[in-house]
Amino acid sequence: MAATDVDVFSNEEKRNLSLGGHVGFDSLPDQLVSKSVTQGFCFNILCVGETGIGKSTLMNTLFNTMFENEEASHYQNGVYLRPRTYDLQESNVHLKLTIVDTVGFGDQINKEDSYKPIVDYIDTQFENYLQEELKIKRSLFNYHDTRIHICLYFIAPTGHSLKSLDLVTMKKLDSKVNIIPIIAKADTISKSELHKFKIKIMSELVSNGVQIYQFPTDDETVSEINASMNAHLPFAVVGSVEEVKVGNKTVRARQYPWGVVQVENESHCDFVKLREMLIRVNMEDLREQTHARHYELYRRCKLEEMGFKDTDPDSQPFSLQETYEAKRKEFLGDLQRKEEEMRQMFVNKVKETEAELKEKERELHDKFEQLKRMHQEEKRKVEEKRRDLEEEMNAFNRKKVAAETLSLSQPLKKDKDKKKSVRTENQSGVSASSSKVMMAKANVEPLNCQSWWQAIQCCTCLVHSAAWKPGGTF
Amino acid sequence: MVAGESGMGKSTLVNSLFLTDLYKDRKLLNAEERINQTVEIIKHTVDIEEKGVKLKLTIVDTPGFGDAVNNNECWKPITDYIDQQFEQYFRDESGLNRKNIQDNRVHCCLYFIPPFGHGLRPVDVEFMKALHEKVNIIPLIAKADCLTPNEIKKLKDRIRDEIEKFGIKVYQFPECDSDEDEEFKQLDKELKECTPFAVIGSNTVVEARGQRVRGRLYPWGIVEVENQSHCDFVKLRNMLIRSHMHDLKDVTCDVHYENYRAQCIQEMTSKLAQDNRMESPIPILPLSTPDVETEKLIKMKDEELKRMQEMLNKMQQQMHDKEQ
């Protein structure tokens, strides 16, 4: 059929008709019941409260069985959640019960982050369900729903008011899960104190805008009882798994030296009310609320975050596919842009470092040149000095020589005189001496001297070294 | 001094102990206001008299302890207060006119442990560790009417073990002399085995078994405060007021105050030594400043090392010779 035809049909009014005979579709609820029974039910409870306040005991009492639980220690570093799943059966109805315990809640010295693990856990369960819903091939039919249907918040029976931690935590949880506050260990508060305590708690919750779960009053069958129960919130409960003999019955109770507190006695505590409300009357409503209100809220926020909208600015309904495509393109475009940016940055950085390196190189080079020049300067200076020194040495040497020659020439002059006197003295034997002299002279090289004085001066050294031969007769 | 979280019954217990009403016009805070609350110190002083004996009683209350969401160091105002009292006494003692010294030191601290848990919580441990060297701590289990006798016993054992494990020095009852009579010794033994006391407080009078007693009225029975099988209130009262009051004062004077005093003087001299860079002028103190000490130690160790080295060398030499 064409799309236009369907539109035409839906505009027709629905008409009420009366049946002529028994058709049989009044068995629809029965079919539903049998179907649900075969499918089984699923219920998830979250217990939030300080260590040792009686969460495990209350669970044991509520479901009349012993879930295996060890005592938790007070010295955990942080809060962590411990979910346990059990399969229970009553008549032919199967119940998959998950109890989530908060371990370490309220034990730390700094409790500012205590609520975070709880909120994260709840969100994770919603997220898992959302993922399952958005899958292409999904099986919601068989899906094990782990979303928390109810949170039982255990309040310590101080008798004054809520603790600051309680207030902060409940405020964070009230938009995510159905909260029912209960007063734990209520056998420590007397009746009058209890009344005042309850009023105080409710007024504090109201004045701080905490939305706790209100039992529904729109269905006539249960509206009356629910309305009256609403007035009894928060329930003051006592839990016990021990059996005590009272009168001629054995009931679950706590035995004290001064009396016996019976768990199922309405005048002792509100346990029976809690059980009625939680399990017998409103379990289904709790599941509904979780799905219809809390989960839808989460889903809406999450999808809006991702950018989906129900309607266009032009009020045309969007199709999911188109939105997907648009988102994808946007995302890819973003990625590319980021890549470009990063590349640019990288290139810029490289350039910068290169420039720096070049600068440094130049500087080094300059320094080297400078040092070299200095070195050469120094060398030159040293050379000069050396030359000066050499000159001085030469000058000194010459002077020395001059001085020596001067000193030698003086004694030779005396020699000459001596020789003359020898000649004159030894005229007779002069021939010998003169021959000696002659001999000495003969050894002398011919000189180009004008006068005999000059000749003598020039050959002073040579005469010194001449050997005097005994001049004999020629 | 009474310390513990809000709603533990501290005020009720104090009223029951001294049969007065100290907290007539008290204003309790809402949860919202308590998110960031700091600890205050409030003193109530009363003069009570019984058969001619006068007692000046001061109750130091600590509202706000453990109430905020972030309780880091929430015991600091309390330790500061105790130190202040010690300091004031120290100053008075060293002063010239010592006739009228007012003793404001805290003689005893009643710490209320909540009965809802499985033992001590981290904040309890930290608090007691911060205070156990400054004041006599007496731990109590508050609101004991939520525990059956079995549970009380388990919890007491648990707490005693944890106190030992963490090394917390709570107030110990003094050993009784061997020449006391048997009955007294028996009582004393019972007292010691009963710590920490599990108490219930009440100032309202109810009718039980034909008598008018102080107690709490429940639909399932009446808890009598002064009934020994119901709670340890009577033991606590006897211990605190009738038999051990003087001992508490003595321990405070002899142990905690002296510790404080020694510490104070040591700090003063070490500061002096550091300022003047010379040896401590007060020769009485055997302890030198930590720096000088460590230096000495280092020197000693060096010498030892040297000696060892020499010995080693000698031995090696000997071995070498022997081989050859």
Side-chain angles (χ1 to χ4, degrees):
Chain A
M1 268 209 261
T4 43
D5 290 346
V6 173
D7 284 344
V8 166
F9 279 129
S10 68
N11 278 338
E12 283 184 5
E13 279 179 24
K14 300 179 184 56
R15 301 176 290 166
N16 288 338
L17 297 172
S18 57
L19 303 169
H22 183 241
V23 178
F25 59 78
D26 59 356
S27 66
L28 267 174
D30 299 329
Q31 292 175 25
L32 207 61
V33 166
S34 57
K35 199 155 167 222
S36 311
V37 166
T38 41
Q39 203 182 347
F41 297 89
C42 168
F43 197 62
N44 305 321
I45 305 181
L46 169 67
C47 294
V48 181
E50 291 173 7
T51 313
I53 202 138
K55 304 185 281 291
S56 321
T57 317
L58 187 69
M59 288 295 111
N60 290 350
T61 324
L62 259 181
F63 291 100
N64 232 332
T65 158
M66 289 291 277
F67 302 116
E68 337 90 47
N69 282 317
E70 337 94 27
E71 268 183 10
S73 100
H74 280 281
Y75 302 101
Q76 307 280 348
N77 274 343
V79 181
Y80 71 95
L81 283 94
R82 193 171 58 177
R84 308 236 193 131
T85 314
Y86 306 97
D87 264 316
L88 307 172
Q89 182 175 6
E90 200 175 43
S91 346
N92 55 350
V93 179
H94 287 268
L95 178 66
K96 207 186 220 145
L97 181 71
T98 306
I99 299 185
V100 186
D101 226 341
T102 48
V103 180
F105 187 77
D107 277 335
Q108 299 81 35
I109 295 185
N110 183 354
K111 297 177 276 217
E112 282 179 347
D113 291 337
S114 291
Y115 69 88
K116 282 204 187 119
I118 306 177
V119 172
D120 288 340
Y121 180 83
I122 297 177
D123 279 342
T124 318
Q125 309 315 309
F126 281 152
E127 182 66 31
N128 290 346
Y129 194 82
L130 184 65
Q131 291 302 325
E132 183 66 28
E133 246 193 354
L134 291 176
K135 265 196 205 165
I136 299 175
K137 236 182 156 189
R138 63 190 193 179
S139 55
L140 280 176
F141 193 74
N142 285 335
Y143 180 69
H144 172 49
D145 187 6
T146 52
R147 297 174 295 182
I148 302 290
H149 298 125
I150 175 150
C151 168
L152 289 173
Y153 196 95
F154 288 70
I155 300 173
T158 55
H160 292 320
S161 67
L162 280 178
K163 290 197 185 165
S164 46
L165 174 65
D166 296 342
L167 195 61
V168 167
T169 314
M170 281 209 259
K171 270 210 88 128
K172 295 277 177 192
L173 290 177
D174 69 346
S175 56
K176 300 212 177 255
V177 74
N178 303 316
I179 301 183
I180 295 186
I182 54 182
I183 303 175
K185 301 210 168 176
D187 50 358
T188 202
I189 315 185
S190 64
K191 265 255 160 28
S192 50
E193 290 170 358
L194 188 63
H195 190 64
K196 275 195 285 186
F197 192 35
K198 283 193 182 180
I199 293 179
K200 191 80 205 303
I201 292 181
M202 290 311 281
S203 74
E204 278 198 334
L205 289 176
V206 162
S207 68
N208 283 296
V210 176
Q211 287 171 338
I212 55 174
Y213 177 71
Q214 298 291 326
F215 301 116
T217 45
D218 38 5
D219 184 3
E220 289 139 15
T221 43
V222 289
S223 68
E224 220 182 273
I225 186 170
N226 278 347
S228 73
M229 287 303 170
N230 273 331
H232 278 113
L233 278 175
F235 296 128
V237 292
V238 175
S240 169
V241 284
E242 289 151 9
E243 309 250 320
V244 174
K245 201 163 159 69
V246 174
N248 48 4
K249 288 194 297 179
T250 344
V251 287
R252 291 183 292 172
R254 283 171 70 76
Q255 172 96 40
Y256 287 112
W258 49 84
V260 178
V261 183
Q262 292 159 33
V263 168
E264 305 203 15
N265 187 331
E266 294 241 21
S267 58
H268 286 191
C269 71
D270 298 331
F271 174 77
V272 176
K273 296 193 183 76
L274 175 68
R275 189 178 56 191
E276 287 282 316
M277 287 294 100
L278 190 59
I279 303 179
R280 291 184 190 171
V281 176
N282 293 311
M283 212 181 205
E284 186 52 38
D285 181 69
L286 285 165
R287 286 158 43 124
E288 276 264 341
Q289 288 276 328
T290 313
H291 184 73
R293 203 157 61 123
H294 300 290
Y295 173 66
E296 287 301 313
L297 183 65
Y298 176 81
R299 184 172 172 276
R300 192 170 60 210
C301 292
K302 209 58 202 299
L303 292 181
E304 268 174 4
E305 243 177 74
M306 293 208 279
F308 295 116
K309 281 189 283 279
D310 268 344
T311 52
D312 224 349
D314 304 332
S315 300
Q316 291 286 339
F318 248 3
S319 98
L320 219 58
Q321 198 174 10
E322 281 175 34
T323 332
Y324 262 135
E325 290 290 307
K327 281 262 129 186
R328 222 176 103 91
K329 268 192 234 159
E330 212 187 297
F331 186 63
L332 285 174
D334 261 345
L335 264 180
Q336 277 201 340
R337 229 182 333 115
K338 283 224 172 107
E339 229 183 280
E340 271 303 315
E341 263 181 46
M342 286 188 66
R343 209 174 295 155
Q344 266 305 103
M345 255 171 54
F346 182 68
V347 167
N348 285 349
K349 273 229 169 111
V350 167
K351 275 201 196 133
E352 268 178 36
T353 25
E354 261 187 43
E356 267 181 41
L357 281 173
K358 278 211 179 98
E359 261 292 322
K360 287 263 168 76
E361 218 184 296
R362 229 182 312 134
E363 268 178 44
L364 277 172
H365 204 67
D366 285 340
K367 254 197 193 163
F368 181 64
E369 291 289 313
Q370 207 188 13
L371 280 172
K372 208 158 125 185
R373 255 178 282 139
M374 270 167 62
H375 179 68
Q376 298 222 358
E377 270 283 327
E378 293 284 315
K379 207 162 145 186
R380 205 168 33 83
K381 279 191 199 153
V382 169
E383 281 285 333
E384 268 184 33
K385 275 200 183 146
R386 192 158 71 89
R387 255 179 278 138
D388 285 343
L389 203 62
E390 273 188 25
E391 274 184 31
E392 271 183 39
M393 263 173 51
N394 288 345
F396 179 72
N397 276 343
R398 263 182 271 132
K399 275 200 190 140
K400 192 166 128 187
V401 169
E404 275 180 4
T405 30
L406 203 62
S407 62
L408 249 186
S409 66
Q410 293 281 12
L412 205 64
K413 209 174 164 188
K414 285 195 198 133
D415 250 40
K416 184 74 182 157
D417 287 344
K418 232 206 256 166
K419 273 183 222 149
K420 271 190 188 156
S421 61
V422 162
R423 256 198 232 150
T424 47
E425 276 175 11
N426 302 341
Q427 283 298 338
S428 56
V430 99
S431 55
S433 48
S434 59
S435 58
K436 274 190 200 160
V437 175
M438 284 299 147
M439 279 268 105
K441 265 209 174 148
N443 289 337
V444 176
E445 287 168 6
L447 293 160
N448 301 331
C449 302
Q450 295 295 334
S451 70
W452 60 266
W453 175 242
Q454 272 182 334
I456 290 176
Q457 264 190 324
C458 284
C459 52
T460 315
C461 0
L462 298 166
V463 166
H464 258 305
S465 58
W468 290 91
K469 282 200 186 137
T473 52
F474 277 61
Chain B
M1 172 182 273
V2 288
E5 278 188 5
S6 259
M8 286 289 115
K10 304 188 289 288
S11 329
T12 318
L13 187 75
V14 167
N15 284 344
S16 313
L17 269 175
F18 298 103
L19 290 170
T20 59
D21 192 3
L22 289 172
Y23 295 95
K24 271 209 185 65
D25 305 313
R26 197 165 60 136
K27 191 170 162 308
L28 292 168
L29 294 177
N30 280 335
E32 200 186 336
E33 294 157 1
R34 281 196 257 152
I35 291 180
N36 288 323
Q37 187 172 34
T38 48
V39 180
E40 299 166 19
I41 306 276
I42 299 185
K43 269 170 59 165
H44 300 270
T45 315
V46 281
D47 282 315
I48 45 183
E49 185 180 329
E50 195 183 45
K51 287 196 202 153
V53 180
K54 293 203 185 106
L55 175 66
K56 181 164 175 286
L57 177 71
T58 310
I59 310 274
V60 182
D61 206 354
T62 55
F65 177 77
D67 280 347
V69 179
N70 183 354
N71 287 321
N72 259 338
E73 306 245 317
C74 60
W75 48 85
K76 204 152 174 319
I78 302 178
T79 48
D80 287 343
Y81 174 80
I82 297 178
D83 281 337
Q84 253 176 18
Q85 305 310 310
F86 279 154
E87 198 185 316
Q88 191 201 347
Y89 193 81
F90 183 42
R91 241 177 274 183
D92 284 345
E93 206 184 37
S94 332
L96 294 172
N97 189 357
R98 300 213 299 188
K99 272 210 196 136
N100 305 324
I101 305 181
Q102 262 208 352
D103 187 2
N104 281 328
R105 298 173 293 185
V106 181
H107 297 126
C108 161
C109 174
L110 296 174
Y111 187 69
F112 287 71
I113 301 171
F116 313 124
H118 296 308
L120 289 176
R121 298 167 306 159
V123 69
D124 300 331
V125 173
E126 291 297 314
F127 175 83
M128 289 204 266
K129 278 177 88 154
L131 258 71
H132 64 167
E133 310 235 303
K134 295 187 194 276
V135 75
N136 300 317
I137 298 186
I138 299 182
L140 303 173
I141 302 178
K143 295 212 167 177
D145 54 353
C146 83
L147 298 168
T148 60
N150 274 343
E151 290 169 354
I152 290 185
K153 196 166 163 316
K154 260 200 324 184
L155 188 61
K156 282 189 183 181
D157 289 337
R158 205 49 184 282
I159 293 182
R160 269 199 295 258
D161 289 338
E162 287 185 347
I163 286 180
E164 228 183 276
K165 187 169 90 159
F166 288 108
I168 302 173
K169 298 188 217 134
V170 293
Y171 173 68
Q172 302 291 336
F173 301 115
E175 299 294 333
C176 42
D177 305 321
S178 52
D179 55 348
E180 299 274 0
D181 50 353
E182 273 302 318
E183 200 188 305
F184 192 78
K185 278 201 216 164
Q186 182 68 15
L187 280 174
D188 201 51
K189 199 163 87 108
E190 273 179 34
L191 211 65
K192 287 193 188 147
E193 282 174 9
C194 232
T195 54
F197 295 127
V199 291
I200 303 174
S202 168
N203 239 1
T204 51
V205 178
V206 292
E207 181 117 1
R209 294 178 280 125
Q211 280 184 326
R212 291 177 66 80
V213 285
R214 287 189 295 160
R216 286 171 68 75
L217 178 63
Y218 289 115
W220 48 86
I222 298 179
V223 183
E224 294 167 42
V225 165
E226 302 199 10
N227 188 331
Q228 292 246 27
S229 57
H230 287 189
C231 72
D232 298 329
F233 174 79
V234 179
K235 289 204 185 76
L236 173 69
R237 186 181 58 191
N238 289 346
M239 195 257 338
L240 197 55
I241 303 177
R242 291 186 193 164
S243 43
H244 287 87
M245 191 185 253
H246 208 74
D247 184 60
L248 283 166
K249 286 173 77 165
D250 282 344
V251 173
T252 312
C253 289
D254 295 338
V255 178
H256 300 295
Y257 175 65
E258 290 302 315
N259 277 343
Y260 171 81
R261 192 167 166 277
Q263 217 182 9
C264 219
I265 296 182
Q266 193 181 340
E267 270 172 32
M268 283 199 307
T269 51
S270 75
K271 250 205 304 194
L272 264 175
Q274 273 178 19
D275 288 340
N276 299 342
R277 281 172 184 263
M278 62 183 187
E279 277 188 9
S280 139
I282 303 177
I284 307 172
L285 272 178
L287 296 162
S288 46
T289 58
D291 296 343
V292 176
E293 250 192 37
T294 47
E295 273 180 45
K296 273 198 218 153
L297 272 171
I298 291 175
K299 272 194 213 141
M300 267 170 50
K301 296 262 185 232
D302 273 356
E303 283 170 6
E304 263 192 58
L305 264 171
K306 274 190 214 141
R307 262 182 277 138
M308 307 275 266
Q309 274 292 95
E310 282 172 7
M311 274 174 58
L312 253 173
N313 285 343
K314 260 194 246 161
M315 279 170 47
Q316 274 184 355
Q317 196 60 20
Q318 279 178 8
M319 273 173 41
H320 200 65
D321 289 347
K322 273 199 196 150
E323 277 177 7
Q324 283 183 348

